[in-house]
Amino acid sequence: MKKYIPVLKKTKLFSGVGEEDAASLLSCLGAKKRTYRKGEYILREGEHISDIFILVEGKIYIQNDDYWGNRSILSVLSVGEMFGEAYSSPESGVILNDVVAMEDSTVIFFDVRRILTTCSSACRFHNMIVQNMFFAVSDKNRRLVQKLGHMSGRTTRAKLISYLSEEAKRRGSSAFTVPFNRQQLADYLSVDRSAMSKELCRMRDEGMIRFDKSSFELL
């Protein structure tokens, strides 16, 4: 567990916490480590949870399949990101989506009740963890608003332009790599893969973009 402390220190939840304090907080917060193989479900729609987790190795997708098997990718979690805080309230109900490892992944789970309740040993940084979780939730809500902005485009091109423009701004570069293959990008934007591929080719032919697999350059 201790080998992941350098990763945890870079997360929003452990922001400002020193290495020695982070080690003691792992015990204080009831941390549990679990590993998953590519394609394995970490959480399934309909489950009740009382933990939040931080991804410390690998990559995870949050996805939803409708009754007919059509898939939408709602979010991608990379190393250092957190999930489960939206279900931390007792009245939150069951998970609404599946959480799946898209490559071999390691996750650290924390009992949310132990985060929100000050421990008997009065850890110096416990209150900071509670504050950091609030900021992390706020940041995730901001990113959700960004995705809703992509989804509000009336056409496939409008959705692509919104998403690719946001990625370029976020990376600070006109050239970047997205965390999706073609089908996954189509699922993320809720568009037909074939129609999206044709639109990307049109945008390339019009001199708007260059692309090769998951690498893009805006011109």
Side-chain angles (χ1 to χ4, degrees):
M1 186 85 73
K2 288 185 177 180
K3 79 172 189 176
Y4 297 113
I5 288 178
V7 176
L8 292 173
K9 282 179 58 185
K10 296 178 182 179
T11 66
K12 291 181 173 62
L13 188 64
F14 281 78
S15 176
V17 178
E19 186 163 338
E20 291 185 6
D21 293 295
S24 63
L25 276 170
L26 289 175
S27 174
C28 173
L29 301 178
K32 296 170 290 186
K33 177 178 73 73
R34 296 175 188 168
T35 58
Y36 300 87
R37 294 297 184 97
K38 179 180 179 179
E40 191 174 354
Y41 281 71
I42 297 169
L43 299 169
R44 289 184 179 270
E45 179 182 358
E47 287 187 40
H48 287 275
I49 62 171
S50 58
D51 296 316
I52 63 172
F53 73 69
I54 293 177
L55 178 66
V56 293
E57 284 183 333
K59 183 166 67 174
I60 288 173
Y61 283 178
I62 300 171
Q63 62 189 39
N64 181 269
D65 295 336
D66 66 20
Y67 185 83
W68 295 273
N70 300 306
R71 175 163 296 167
S72 295
I73 296 177
L74 307 178
S75 184
V76 182
L77 298 188
S78 54
V79 170
E81 294 195 84
M82 179 172 68
F83 177 79
E85 67 281 2
Y87 302 96
S88 59
S89 167
E91 291 79 30
S92 295
V94 299
I95 296 175
L96 300 178
N97 307 295
D98 296 320
V99 183
V100 184
M102 298 312 294
E103 53 188 56
D104 292 350
S105 301
T106 302
V107 171
I108 296 181
F109 286 80
F110 301 91
D111 186 336
V112 72
R113 292 164 296 189
R114 295 179 71 165
I115 292 177
L116 298 176
T117 304
T118 303
C119 60
S120 58
S121 58
C123 297
R124 269 197 308 160
F125 288 95
H126 202 129
N127 288 336
M128 182 179 289
I129 290 290
V130 176
Q131 176 180 283
N132 287 346
M133 189 167 79
F134 172 78
F135 292 149
V137 171
S138 298
D139 181 66
K140 186 165 287 188
N141 286 340
R142 177 184 58 79
R143 284 184 286 162
L144 177 59
V145 170
Q146 288 177 335
K147 181 176 180 182
L148 290 174
H150 307 327
M151 301 293 295
S152 66
R154 291 176 178 247
T155 64
T156 298
R157 175 173 290 208
K159 292 179 180 181
L160 283 167
I161 287 175
S162 176
Y163 173 71
L164 295 174
S165 296
E166 183 62 40
E167 283 297 295
K169 291 177 187 176
R170 189 170 70 86
R171 309 292 183 87
S173 172
S174 61
F176 51 87
T177 300
V178 302
F180 304 114
N181 61 32
R182 286 287 181 273
Q183 184 60 59
Q184 292 161 350
L185 180 57
D187 291 340
Y188 181 74
L189 296 176
S190 293
V191 297
D192 178 76
R193 175 183 174 175
S194 178
M196 184 192 73
S197 294
K198 290 178 182 177
E199 195 59 56
L200 284 170
C201 289
R202 291 190 192 102
M203 293 168 67
R204 178 195 60 199
D205 295 343
E206 292 172 18
M208 296 178 65
I209 61 174
R210 292 194 190 101
F211 61 85
D212 178 34
K213 296 181 180 179
S214 297
S215 297
F216 289 84
E217 182 180 5
L218 307 191
L219 306 176

